[in-house]
Amino acid sequence: MIEARDKAIELGCDVSNMMGPAWEGYYTFLVGPDGAKDGRDDSDEGDNRRDQFIEWLTQRACDYGKKSYCRFAWAEIQYGDEAGQAMVTRHRDDEERERRSSEAWNAMQDKS
């Protein structure tokens, strides 16, 4: 987990202190929002840094040979927009769902 936090800092993200472990050795840290309104240069830079960090996480996330053991669990949360909405915009399981869907599609194509 320290490796992930260090990577987020290296990419220029605003990162909290490490929290935990509360249970079973899980640690947590937060990557804060950029605080800029969408469309502004600061917002675009913040989006790019978070995208790079999520890409880094997904490259190291899971060993599918071990019952989908995942090294890093993560979720991206949107809040405080002009419409007052809050939602999960991306999360680790998006990658897993996409991988399984692709495997199922390929299996169907192999049968035809």
Side-chain angles (χ1 to χ4, degrees), residues 42-97:
D42 290 343
S43 176
D44 293 343
E45 288 174 27
D47 292 346
N48 185 45
R49 286 194 287 280
R50 285 187 303 279
D51 288 344
Q52 288 178 48
F53 182 56
I54 287 171
E55 178 64 25
W56 184 90
L57 288 171
T58 57
Q59 289 175 358
R60 288 154 185 81
C62 296
D63 177 355
Y64 295 109
K66 297 180 181 175
K67 296 184 182 179
S68 296
Y69 165 76
C70 288
R71 191 167 166 206
F72 303 117
W74 59 270
E76 181 180 48
I77 311 298
Q78 172 206 308
Y79 64 94
D81 71 357
E82 288 79 14
Q85 294 183 342
M87 67 183 86
V88 174
T89 56
R90 294 187 280 187
H91 55 86
R92 179 201 67 202
D93 296 331
D94 286 341
E95 302 294 326
E96 169 67 1
R97 189 171 28 262

